[in-house]
Each structure stands twice: as C-alpha cells, then as structure tokens.
C-alpha cells in the first residue's frame, strides 16, 4: 500500500499578547497504528514532500503571518524540495515561509558554506531561516555559529533532553540561547512546553514565544481532496 503523508499544524504562541504568531508544519505518515512521525524524512520521495508542501501552504496562507516548515540539510540541497519551498513562498505572500533547518544528520555531508549559499537563495526570495533544535544533533553552537548572522529565529526543544526543565542545567541552556538570540537580534522559540510549570518558568526567564502540548497538540490539516482521513 502506498504511504500517505499529511502535515499536522501546531501553533506558536506569543504569551505576552496571548496570540498565535505562526504555525509549524509537522509531517506525519498514516500507519496501522495511526499517524506517526516517518522513520526517515530523507527516505520520502522528494516529489511527495514538494507537492504536499505546496498544497498545505496554500490552505494556510491567509491564517497567520508566518508558516514554518522543517527541512533537513539533505532536503535543503534537493532541487525538487527547494523549488517547492520557493513556489510555496510565492503563493502565500505576504505571509512569510520560515525554513527550519533541523538537527538531523544527512547521508551526505554538506559544508556550512554550501548550506549558507542555499539559505541565502531563500532569503533573497523573501523567506526567513530558523535554526531548529539548537544544542542537539548537529545544531550545536560550534556547528551553526556561521549561520547565526543569516537566521531570524532559534528554536530550543525541551523534549530533546532527558532532564526536566526545573533542572538548573536546563535553565542554563535556555539562558545561553536567549543570550545568543539577543546578541544576533533573533526570535527565540521554546518548544516542547507541556505543563503550566514549564510555561511559567520559561516566562520568568524572559522568553515569550512558546510552542507545545500545553497550548495545543499538532492538528491534522485536511486538504481539499481529503474525504475520510482518520
């Protein structure tokens, strides 16, 4: 049976104003157990990813001012997906498409110069760059410091760490990335916020942009031709 993929959407909240500032698109695959994250995003046919991105952004274009899409370095350098990202930005203008560069390892090793060149290509076409899951995978500071000057956003994912946020070492990590966001004039979004305690503590640390189950779980976005997805 051919695999079925859809994007789920999760809002990003400005808790200062209690408003939705954007949506992140999270791709999932329909399995016998229900909707699940694909085992390998890089293994998905690039044309499927491209077509789905274009269809999805068309549906959401008039709802918020920013739409974020996760892109690995491998996907970033894939022509089919790259062209779909550009087409998506054209059709949702003036809404901004934010390209979230994930921490995933790619089968092919790309230099920061190669990655930066592609990201600048997107910037020239009105998009923004987000560095996703900072501090984990290959998105540790020493690997992404060259990309900070061209980014608009950093995302710190609480769910990527085994320690609870109440742990002082976790708070120190937030302090570090908050300082980096201030130094480079970037938005800092903390994701993976699951309860009221995390929500309050992150606010006390000066971060207002948040994302997580505490505000909303990712919701399946049905497309015009969908009739009976479950």
């Amino acid at each position: 049976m051919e695999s079925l993929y859809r994007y789920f959407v999760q809002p990003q909240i400005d808790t200062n104003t209690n408003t939705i500032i954007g949506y992140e698109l999270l791709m999932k695959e329909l399995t016998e157990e229900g909707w699940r994250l694909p085992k390998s995003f890089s293994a998905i046919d690039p044309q499927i990813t491209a077509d789905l991105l274009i269809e999805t952004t068309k549906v959401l274009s008039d709802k918020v001012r920013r739409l974020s899409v996760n892109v690995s370095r491998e996907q970033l350098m894939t022509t089919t997906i790259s062209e779909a990202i550009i087409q998506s930005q054209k059709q949702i203008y003036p809404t901004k498409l934010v390209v979230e560069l994930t921490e995933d390892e790619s089968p092919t090793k790309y230099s920061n110069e190669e990655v930066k060149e592609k990201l600048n290509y997107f910037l020239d076409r009105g998009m923004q760059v987000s560095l996703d899951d900072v501090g984990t995978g290959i998105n540790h500071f020493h690997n992404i410091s060259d990309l900070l000057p061209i980014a608009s956003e950093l995302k710190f994912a609480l769910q990527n760490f085994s320690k609870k946020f109440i742990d002082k070492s976790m708070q120190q990590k937030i302090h570090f990335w908050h300082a980096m966001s201030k130094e480079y004039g970037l938005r800092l979004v903390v994701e993976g916020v699951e309860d009221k305690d995390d929500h309050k503590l992150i606010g006390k640390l000066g971060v207002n942009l948040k994302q997580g189950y505490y505000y909303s779980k990712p919701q399946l976005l049905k497309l015009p031709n969908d009739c009976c997805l479950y």
Side-chain angles (χ1 to χ4, degrees):
M1 186 178 92
E2 186 178 346
S3 295
L4 179 65
Y5 300 95
R6 285 294 180 271
Y7 277 112
F8 280 58
V9 295
Q10 187 175 36
Q12 296 175 344
I13 311 294
D14 183 338
T15 53
N16 239 1
T17 58
N18 199 29
T19 55
I20 295 174
I21 61 166
Y23 285 102
E24 180 179 357
L25 310 184
L26 305 159
M27 184 184 284
K28 293 191 177 184
E29 179 181 5
L30 185 57
T31 70
E32 292 180 355
E33 292 77 37
W35 291 100
R36 298 290 185 269
L37 289 174
K39 292 180 180 178
S40 170
F41 288 95
S42 298
I44 302 170
D45 184 338
Q47 192 61 56
I48 291 175
T49 301
D51 293 343
L52 186 57
L53 177 61
I54 291 168
E55 286 186 73
T56 303
T57 52
K58 188 182 296 182
V59 172
L60 287 170
S61 61
D62 61 347
K63 292 183 169 41
V64 286
R65 58 180 177 168
R66 285 197 291 268
L67 292 176
S68 300
V69 60
N70 289 281
V71 180
S72 68
R73 283 161 174 78
E74 190 73 26
Q75 291 173 317
L76 181 75
M77 306 303 287
T78 301
T79 302
T80 307
I81 296 175
S82 177
E83 290 175 350
I85 290 171
I86 293 168
Q87 184 174 335
S88 293
Q89 178 59 77
K90 287 179 180 177
Q91 74 184 7
I92 68 174
Y93 181 83
T95 297
K96 290 273 186 187
L97 191 65
V98 182
V99 178
E100 289 192 14
L101 188 66
T102 69
E103 85 289 7
D104 300 327
E105 292 276 3
S106 295
T108 307
K109 299 297 181 185
Y110 298 101
S111 69
N112 267 2
E113 284 307 311
E114 291 174 295
V115 171
K116 190 187 296 187
E117 182 179 355
K118 179 63 74 170
L119 292 175
N120 274 319
Y121 186 70
F122 291 153
L123 292 176
D124 290 342
R125 283 151 183 80
M127 289 170 252
Q128 293 184 352
V129 170
S130 173
L131 301 176
D132 195 19
D133 297 332
V134 291
T136 58
I138 57 174
N139 278 357
H140 283 283
F141 177 75
H142 62 275
N143 286 332
I144 61 172
S145 57
D146 289 349
L147 303 177
L148 290 173
I150 66 171
S152 294
E153 178 182 277
L154 301 174
K155 293 192 77 177
F156 184 91
L158 295 178
Q159 70 269 23
N160 287 353
F161 298 87
S162 58
K163 293 180 179 178
K164 293 291 186 181
F165 189 48
I166 195 68
D167 189 282
K168 290 295 183 184
S169 66
M170 285 293 293
Q171 295 175 41
Q172 287 170 358
K173 293 180 190 296
I174 292 281
H175 277 301
F176 173 80
W177 289 108
H178 195 203
M180 289 299 101
S181 72
K182 293 291 186 184
E183 182 174 338
Y184 287 91
L186 313 178
R187 299 186 300 271
L188 175 62
V189 180
V190 175
E191 57 182 334
V193 182
E194 295 194 350
D195 56 46
K196 191 173 184 178
D197 289 339
D198 283 353
H199 163 77
K200 286 185 173 180
L201 186 50
I202 294 165
K204 286 180 180 178
L205 295 177
V207 180
N208 299 317
L209 304 183
K210 308 180 184 79
Q211 180 180 335
Y213 281 15
Y214 178 68
Y215 312 105
S216 174
K217 292 185 177 181
Q219 302 293 318
L220 170 64
L221 183 74
K222 291 188 177 181
L223 300 176
N225 293 327
D226 291 338
C227 59
C228 52
L229 293 181
Y230 56 87

